[in-house]
Amino acid sequence: MKKQKVSSAVIRRLPRYYRHLNDLHLAGVERISSSALGKSMGLTASQIRQDLSCFGEFGQQGYGYNVESLRGEVSDILGMNRGHTAVILGAGNLGRALLENFHFQRSGVTLAAAFDVSPDIVGRTLSGVPVYHVDQLEPYLKESPASIGVLTVPRGVANAIAARLVAGGVKGIWNFTNIELRLDSTGVIIEDVHFADSLLSLSYMISEEP
Amino acid sequence: MKKQKVSSAVIRRLPRYYRHLNDLHLAGVERISSSALGKSMGLTASQIRQDLSCFGEFGQQGYGYNVESLRGEVSDILGMNRGHTAVILGAGNLGRALLENFHFQRSGVTLAAAFDVSPDIVGRTLSGVPVYHVDQLEPYLKESPASIGVLTVPRGVANAIAARLVAGGVKGIWNFTNIELRLDSTGVIIEDVHFADSLLSLSYMISEEP
C-alpha cells in the first residue's frame, strides 16, 4: 500500500473512522458513499476522500466504500493486528475501571497483567488478569515482553515507574497520570489522557453559550 | 476583550496553555517569551502569538508574557471562574476514580453530588461528595442546578440518563461511556472521552516505529 507522511490530525481521526465503520458493519451496512460517511462523522465528503487517500486508493467512483473491507484496511493501518500486549501499572480505582470495563481486545490489544503494591489485590486475578507486585515488573517483562504500559499510578511515582517500563522494553506508554512524563529521548511514544484538558474544553464551550 | 471566531484546534490547545502557564507560575517564573513558551509546548513562537491573538492583545514586544496575568486571562477564557458545578452519574470504578482522584476544583468546577443505584454506596459520602440514588436526580437538580453532568454509567443506560440530565438543565455532558450520545438538538454540549480512540492512536504510533 502506498503511504505518505500522515499528519497528526489524520491519525487522530483514524480511530473515529474505525469506530464509525465498525458500527456500520455491525448494523449490516455493506457500502457507504464518502458523503454519507462524512455526514455521520461531521466531515465533508472531500475531507473523507483526502484523509483516506493518505493510505492508498479505497472506494470506487459512484459506488462508494465497501464498509467491511475499509474497516479492515483502517484496522490494519492502526496496527490492530500487530498482537500488541499491555500491562497496567497501578490497580487503584482507575486501573480497575480499565481492567474491568475497558475492552482492550476490541482495540486489538491483549491486557496480560497488572501490577500494584497493595496486599489486598496483589496475587488476585481481576477480570481474568493476574495482579503482581510491582517488584515483579522487571522479571515479568523479561519473560513476557509487552509493547504498551498503561500508567495509572499515583503522580508521585509516575516518572519512576515510566522509566522502569521503558527499561523493560515497552514501545508506548498510555499515560493517565495527568503529568507530562520526562523520558530522556528514548523513542518511546507517550499517549497522554488529560482529563483536565477535556473538562476545561467543556467548561469553555458551555461558558461561551449565551 | 476583543474576540473573534475561535477554531476548535485553538480551543483544544487552551487547556494545555493553562497547564503550562500554571506549572511555570508554580515554579516561580514571572515572564516568558513566546519562543520559550512555544519550545516547552512543542509549538512555534508564531503559533503561540497567533493562538493568543484570537483573544486579544497579550504580551509586549521584547518583554514576553507576564506568566501570572496570562494564566489569569486563559483561565477567564476557559470559564474557570464561572462557578460551574458538576454531578457524577455512576459511582462505579471510573466514577469513583474521578470522585477520589480527580481535582475538579483545579479546573474551576465544584463537584456537588454523585448518583448511583447500588445500595452499597447510596447514602454514603465519598471524598466529601454525597452519593444519592439516581431516582433523586430530578428533585436534586431542581433544588441545586448543575451545569455539567459527568456520565460514567454503563453503556446500556447512557442515553436514558443523558436525556434526564438534559431535562434537568445541565449545559454540558462529560461523556465517558464510549458511545456517541443521541440528544435531539438540545444545544447541550457533549465532550467525549474516548479511551479506545486514544489507545488506537498509540497503537498506530508504535506500529509505525521501525
Side-chain angles (χ1 to χ4, degrees), chain B residues 60-188:
Chain B
Q60 272 176 262
Q61 191 77 37
Y63 172 86
Y65 297 106
N66 177 305
V67 169
E68 187 172 7
S69 90
L70 184 57
R71 183 189 69 149
E73 297 280 0
V74 174
S75 142
D76 284 353
I77 293 164
L78 285 169
M80 293 174 68
N81 58 355
R82 299 289 185 100
H84 291 308
T85 53
V87 291
I88 286 193
L89 277 289
N93 285 316
L94 183 57
R96 289 168 80 147
L98 292 168
L99 260 168
E100 294 173 8
N101 306 123
F102 181 74
H103 300 281
F104 284 84
Q105 207 64 59
R106 287 192 198 155
S107 299
V109 174
T110 302
L111 179 60
F115 296 84
D116 202 288
V117 291
S118 162
D120 292 346
I121 50 167
V122 167
R124 287 176 57 190
T125 298
L126 301 174
S127 301
V129 176
V131 184
Y132 301 110
H133 193 280
V134 73
D135 286 351
Q136 298 303 307
L137 181 61
E138 284 78 4
Y140 176 91
L141 288 176
K142 205 166 177 181
E143 190 76 21
S144 315
S147 39
I148 296 171
V150 184
L151 205 58
T152 53
V153 294
R155 297 168 68 118
V157 298
N159 272 302
I161 298 285
R164 289 172 63 182
L165 283 166
V166 171
V170 304
K171 297 171 77 181
I173 294 180
W174 199 18
N175 176 29
F176 286 83
T177 64
N178 213 31
I179 66 167
E180 306 218 346
L181 297 175
R182 286 188 192 85
L183 300 179
D184 301 329
S185 56
T186 52
V188 168

Side-chain angles (χ1 to χ4, degrees), chain A residues 52-126:
Chain A
L52 297 177
S53 74
C54 295
F55 301 100
E57 295 302 329
F58 302 121
Q60 275 176 260
Q61 191 76 36
Y63 172 87
Y65 298 105
N66 177 304
V67 169
E68 188 173 7
S69 90
L70 183 57
R71 183 189 68 149
E73 296 280 0
V74 174
S75 139
D76 284 353
I77 293 164
L78 285 168
M80 294 173 70
N81 58 356
R82 298 289 185 101
H84 290 310
T85 53
V87 292
I88 287 193
L89 277 288
N93 284 316
L94 183 56
R96 289 169 79 147
L98 292 168
L99 260 169
E100 293 172 9
N101 306 125
F102 181 73
H103 300 281
F104 284 84
Q105 207 63 60
R106 288 192 196 154
S107 298
V109 175
T110 302
L111 179 61
F115 295 85
D116 203 287
V117 292
S118 163
D120 292 346
I121 49 167
V122 168
R124 287 175 56 190
T125 297
L126 300 174

Side-chain angles (χ1 to χ4, degrees), chain A residues 11-31:
Chain A
I11 296 168
R12 289 287 149 194
R13 277 197 290 275
L14 276 179
R16 287 187 62 214
Y17 279 107
Y18 180 78
R19 197 149 36 82
H20 279 260
L21 290 164
N22 195 44
D23 287 350
L24 289 166
H25 177 65
L26 294 176
V29 177
E30 290 183 8
R31 61 189 174 104

